[in-house]
């Protein structure tokens, strides 16, 4: 079965970009004045009026481009796969002969793309093949949902457009839900600011033996990237000037994905492993909360920006049809199973959260932050999570999500982060109580966001160091955000002394691998010494284990 990429939107939203960002912003504000905030979120007609649900394939007779007329390599952004199921996997690519141009070097015409799936990298034993359409309305992105595959099996895939052949990707299906498997090896990654350095950790990640990679957010940053690539300090190239501004319009976000996805190390990682992605804030705007922007623009205007960001995210990630956005809404939380060994509940802690208390940042907790009505996930997602635990028969219940879940504060300093779960303690308590009521014995949280590595014991009561340990949290450091970092950040001693449940802390760049077994789980924190210069080697900064049925971290 094949399906092509889609999103509730249309490229028409970026039509004003030729007038510059200011002109486009004025048009957004004019449109925003004519809609109500909730109507935009809930009524598709409002989104259609704003050109986010018009000009979809099939609504008009689109021209078709003969792929043989494409004169430059259209596979400059590589290939990717994602969300593995027992009999299916999602395959992705996007045609972009000139990725740094708004139209990617293609006309407003559809292109037929062939795809192949095989047991071997030379495609001598082909399993499936077919055609998919790269629609201009979706920026010539392509997604193929293959079916009828064997579970727990490695496959290889590639695309063809005219005489051009894409790089070969390697992917893997999940084992069937009731199957007993002895081991699952995954990686957690997050936070890849292009302007802060090279994506060197991805080069090493591509060489790891993994079943799946979880990307926990900040796949791109909305901030400007100057002509030399910021801290990359290019001397052999000059990036176009349009990258040197904050992303606001659909065209801005699309082109920023092109910049990021053209990175060879990121392309190598995507080609090597299936990814399961979820966003944090920077894919849209720093520290936004639900409908509330970071800056003081009208919420209606922000929702137009959010719709553009969500659409570009969909177009550029290996996501399945249920994740297709509808205007400024996108159902990103979802559940995956890997045999009887693991259930993964992937969360979205941005789209539905209450606004940060006390103006955000590190603040003293108080009545506002401790209000029981405050939520990190929204009521519907919270119920979905806890109901999923009640039905789970998996040994490990793993929650890939965005921001630090465990309590975190420095010694002699009661301030906590209002952007993390510390700013939503009632929401955190409901989640932990729900896990306990569901009988979850091996709870594991995977986190990104903070540009450092942490390993936490999760406590029933974080105010009591002697309270029962109910789970484990592994926080993966950034791929590049924060530049090179340091093995021991300036607040290392204060943070370690202030949190008895914090078992490891490191400030270098890298990623985390986690091996889930029937008796224990092991985390290896993999770090590089530098990202501001390319080619740094990878080392293991620490390895910790937690036993099945006996939560609590120990050195491996």
């Amino acid at each position: 079965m094949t399906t092509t990429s889609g999103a509730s939107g249309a490229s028409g939203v970026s039509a004003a970009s030729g007038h510059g960002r200011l002109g486009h912003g004025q048009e957004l504000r004019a449109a925003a004045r004519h809609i109500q905030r909730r109507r935009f979120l809930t009524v598709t007609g409002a989104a259609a009026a704003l050109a986010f649900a018009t000009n979809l394939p099939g609504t008009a007779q689109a021209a078709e481009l003969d792929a043989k007329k494409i004169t430059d390599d259209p596979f400059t952004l590589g290939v990717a796969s994602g969300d593995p199921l027992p009999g299916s996997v999602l395959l992705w690519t996007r045609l972009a002969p000139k990725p740094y141009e708004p139209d990617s070097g293609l006309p407003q015409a559809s292109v037929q793309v062939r795809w192949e799936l095989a047991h071997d990298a030379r495609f001598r034993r082909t399993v499936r093949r077919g055609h998919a359409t790269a629609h201009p309305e979706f920026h010539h992105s392509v997604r193929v949902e293959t079916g009828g595959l064997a579970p727990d099996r490695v496959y290889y895939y590639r695309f063809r457009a005219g005489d051009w052949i894409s790089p070969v990707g390697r992917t893997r299906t999940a084992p069937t839900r009731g199957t007993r498997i002895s081991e699952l090896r995954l990686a957690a990654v997050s936070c890849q600011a292009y302007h802060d350095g090279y994506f060197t950790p991805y080069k090493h990640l591509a060489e790891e033996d993994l079943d799946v990679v979880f990307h926990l957010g900040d796949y791109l940053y909305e901030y400007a990237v100057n002509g030399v690539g910021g801290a990359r300090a290019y001397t052999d190239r000059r990036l176009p000037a349009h990258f040197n501004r904050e992303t606001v319009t659909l065209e801005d976000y699309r082109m920023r994905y092109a910049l990021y996805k053209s990175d060879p190390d990121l392309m190598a990682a995507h080609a090597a492993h299936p990814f399961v992605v979820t966003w944090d804030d920077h894919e849209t705007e720093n520290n936004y909360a639900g409908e509330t922007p970071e800056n003081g623009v009208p919420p209606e205007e922000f929702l137009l920006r959010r719709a553009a960001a969500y659409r570009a995210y969909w177009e550029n990630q290996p996501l399945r049809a249920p994740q297709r956005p509808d205007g400024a809404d996108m159902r990103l939380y979802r559940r995956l199973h890997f045999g009887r060994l693991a259930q993964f509940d992937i969360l979205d802690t941005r789209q539905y959260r209450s606004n940060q208390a006390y103006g955000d940042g590190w603040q003293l907790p108080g009545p506002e932050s401790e209000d029981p009505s405050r939520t990190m996930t929204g009521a519907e997602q919270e119920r979905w999570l806890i109901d999923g635990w009640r039905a789970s028969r998996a040994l490990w219940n793993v929650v890939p999500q965005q921001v630090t879940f465990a309590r975190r504060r420095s010694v002699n300093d009661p301030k906590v982060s209002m952007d993390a779960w510390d700013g939503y303690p009632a929401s955190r308590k409901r989640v932990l109580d729900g896990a306990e009521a569901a009988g979850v014995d091996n709870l594991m949280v995977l986190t990104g966001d903070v540009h450092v590595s942490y390993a936490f014991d999760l406590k029933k009561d974080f105010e009591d160091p002697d309270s029962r340990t109910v789970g484990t949290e592994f926080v993966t450091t950034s791929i590049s955000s924060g530049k090179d970092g340091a093995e021991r950040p300036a607040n290392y001693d204060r943070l370690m002394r202030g949190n008895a449940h914090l078992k490891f802390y490191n400030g270098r760049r890298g990623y985390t691998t986690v091996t889930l077994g029937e008796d224990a789980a092991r985390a290896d924190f993999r770090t590089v010494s530098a990202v501001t210069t390319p080619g740094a080697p990878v080392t293991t900064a620490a390895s910790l284990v937690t036993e099945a049925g006996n939560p609590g971290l120990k050195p491996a």
Side-chain angles (χ1 to χ4, degrees):
M1 177 178 77
T2 67
T3 61
T4 54
S5 65
S8 288
S11 55
V13 74
S14 61
S17 58
H19 302 295
R21 181 178 160 201
L22 177 60
H24 192 82
Q26 290 171 339
E27 290 198 7
L28 290 181
R29 282 189 286 275
R33 283 195 294 269
H34 295 288
I35 63 170
Q36 295 177 353
R37 174 170 48 170
R38 295 308 311 169
R39 179 171 174 80
F40 181 79
L41 281 172
T42 58
V43 181
T44 57
L50 294 162
F52 278 103
T54 57
N55 297 329
L56 297 178
T59 61
Q61 188 64 39
E64 184 168 325
L65 173 68
D66 182 356
K68 290 186 177 297
K69 294 183 178 179
I70 299 176
T71 57
D72 296 310
D73 180 9
F75 297 109
T76 56
L77 306 181
V79 298
S81 67
D83 280 21
L85 300 178
S88 160
V89 72
L90 188 287
L91 310 178
W92 174 95
T93 193
R94 184 163 77 79
L95 305 183
K98 297 179 180 179
Y100 295 172
E101 295 184 5
D103 62 5
S104 299
L106 291 173
Q108 289 294 302
S110 62
V111 181
Q112 289 299 306
V113 178
R114 291 168 290 163
W115 60 271
E116 300 172 88
L117 192 77
H119 287 306
D120 64 301
R122 295 186 177 183
F123 293 83
R124 291 173 176 170
R125 293 182 295 150
T126 301
V127 178
R128 295 280 187 277
R129 58 164 56 96
H131 291 78
T133 303
H135 292 286
E137 295 89 349
F138 303 147
H139 212 205
H140 292 104
S141 59
V142 177
R143 67 195 67 239
V144 175
E145 293 193 36
T146 59
L149 305 182
D152 200 15
R153 182 73 183 262
V154 171
Y155 291 96
Y156 297 86
Y157 63 97
R158 65 186 179 188
F159 298 88
R160 294 174 181 262
D163 296 326
W164 298 97
I165 303 176
S166 75
V168 174
R170 177 186 179 276
T171 191
R172 186 173 192 137
T173 54
T176 55
R177 186 171 178 178
T179 301
R180 179 178 177 181
I181 58 173
S182 60
E183 185 176 284
L184 176 69
R185 195 155 190 262
L186 63 93
V189 298
S190 74
C191 302
Q192 51 200 53
Y194 190 99
H195 58 278
D196 272 358
Y198 291 88
F199 294 166
T200 306
Y202 276 132
K203 176 181 183 296
H204 301 292
L205 183 78
E207 298 167 356
E208 297 268 8
D209 181 14
L210 301 169
D211 297 295
V212 63
V213 175
F214 288 86
H215 198 295
L216 306 175
D218 294 344
Y219 191 96
L220 59 69
Y221 280 69
E222 76 275 29
Y223 304 139
V225 181
N226 65 20
V228 298
R232 295 187 178 208
Y234 290 142
T235 58
D236 61 342
R237 74 198 78 173
R238 190 80 184 177
L239 298 178
H242 54 63
F243 291 125
N244 198 18
R245 64 183 185 226
E246 185 169 336
T247 55
V248 175
T249 69
L250 178 59
E251 182 178 288
D252 291 338
Y253 287 108
R254 282 172 162 175
M255 295 183 69
R256 192 62 52 89
Y257 278 106
L259 176 63
Y260 276 59
K261 294 184 81 70
S262 65
D263 180 274
D265 293 330
L266 176 57
M267 284 197 289
H270 271 301
H273 312 295
F275 271 54
V276 177
V277 300
T278 186
W279 54 38
D280 193 18
D281 51 343
H282 288 289
E283 290 90 348
T284 301
E285 181 190 51
N286 178 58
N287 280 19
Y288 81 93
E291 303 168 29
T292 306
E294 177 188 31
N295 301 313
V297 301
E300 294 81 3
E301 182 180 332
F302 171 69
L303 289 175
L304 290 170
R305 178 181 182 176
R306 198 176 93 171
Y310 285 12
R311 181 192 174 103
Y313 186 84
W314 158 262
E315 291 175 343
N316 286 280
Q317 298 290 9
L319 289 164
R320 292 181 180 268
Q323 279 63 62
R324 174 173 160 170
D326 181 7
D329 292 320
M330 184 169 168
R331 168 73 180 260
L332 196 56
Y333 64 89
R334 59 207 190 277
R335 180 170 293 123
L336 297 174
H337 302 275
F338 282 74
R340 289 157 52 186
L341 188 63
Q343 174 175 300
F344 294 93
D345 295 290
I346 301 103
L347 298 189
D348 173 359
T349 64
R350 280 293 160 192
Q351 189 174 180
Y352 314 106
R353 66 158 68 189
S354 307
N355 194 20
Q356 294 91 340
Y358 300 114
D360 205 358
W362 286 74
Q363 308 290 346
L364 291 173
E368 183 181 348
S369 63
E370 295 175 355
D371 185 339
S373 68
R374 286 174 53 74
T375 177
M376 178 65 88
T377 62
E380 181 180 342
Q381 184 178 192
E382 184 180 293
R383 287 193 301 271
W384 168 88
L385 175 63
I386 295 171
D387 288 346
W389 282 337
R390 292 193 183 109
S392 175
R393 299 296 179 265
L395 177 63
W396 297 95
N397 285 276
V398 186
V399 183
Q401 56 95 53
Q402 294 75 25
V403 293
T404 305
F405 188 83
R407 195 207 67 185
R408 178 176 48 127
R409 67 188 186 199
S410 294
V411 67
N412 299 325
D413 185 353
K415 290 182 179 179
V416 296
S417 171
M418 292 296 140
D419 189 56
W421 286 83
D422 275 337
Y424 304 75
S427 190
R428 178 171 60 196
K429 185 177 187 304
R430 289 193 299 271
V431 167
L432 289 177
D433 288 349
E436 182 178 29
V440 171
D441 294 323
N442 300 299
L443 174 63
M444 179 181 295
V445 178
L446 301 179
T447 300
D449 181 57
V450 288
H451 310 168
V452 297
S453 299
Y454 294 132
F456 290 104
D457 285 344
L458 298 179
K459 310 297 286 187
K460 182 173 177 61
D461 179 4
F462 286 105
E463 298 301 324
D464 178 7
D466 296 324
S467 72
R468 184 163 57 89
T469 297
V470 297
T472 301
E473 180 179 14
F474 297 125
V475 180
T476 189
T477 187
S478 61
I479 291 292
S480 63
S481 302
K483 301 180 182 176
D484 294 336
E487 184 176 345
R488 290 198 170 194
N491 66 346
Y492 179 88
D493 289 333
R494 298 193 302 274
L495 214 56
M496 292 296 292
R497 289 168 54 206
N499 302 278
H501 55 287
L502 175 58
K503 305 301 180 182
F504 173 70
Y505 178 21
N506 182 284
R508 291 291 191 192
R509 307 295 143 243
Y511 55 91
T512 304
T513 62
V514 179
T515 303
L516 300 177
E518 293 181 306
D519 299 319
R522 170 183 173 130
D524 294 295
F525 292 92
R526 306 276 279 159
T527 61
V528 297
S529 58
V531 292
T532 53
T533 55
V538 67
T539 59
T540 300
S543 300
L544 295 96
V545 296
T546 179
E547 298 175 356
N550 184 28
L553 290 167
K554 304 171 186 176

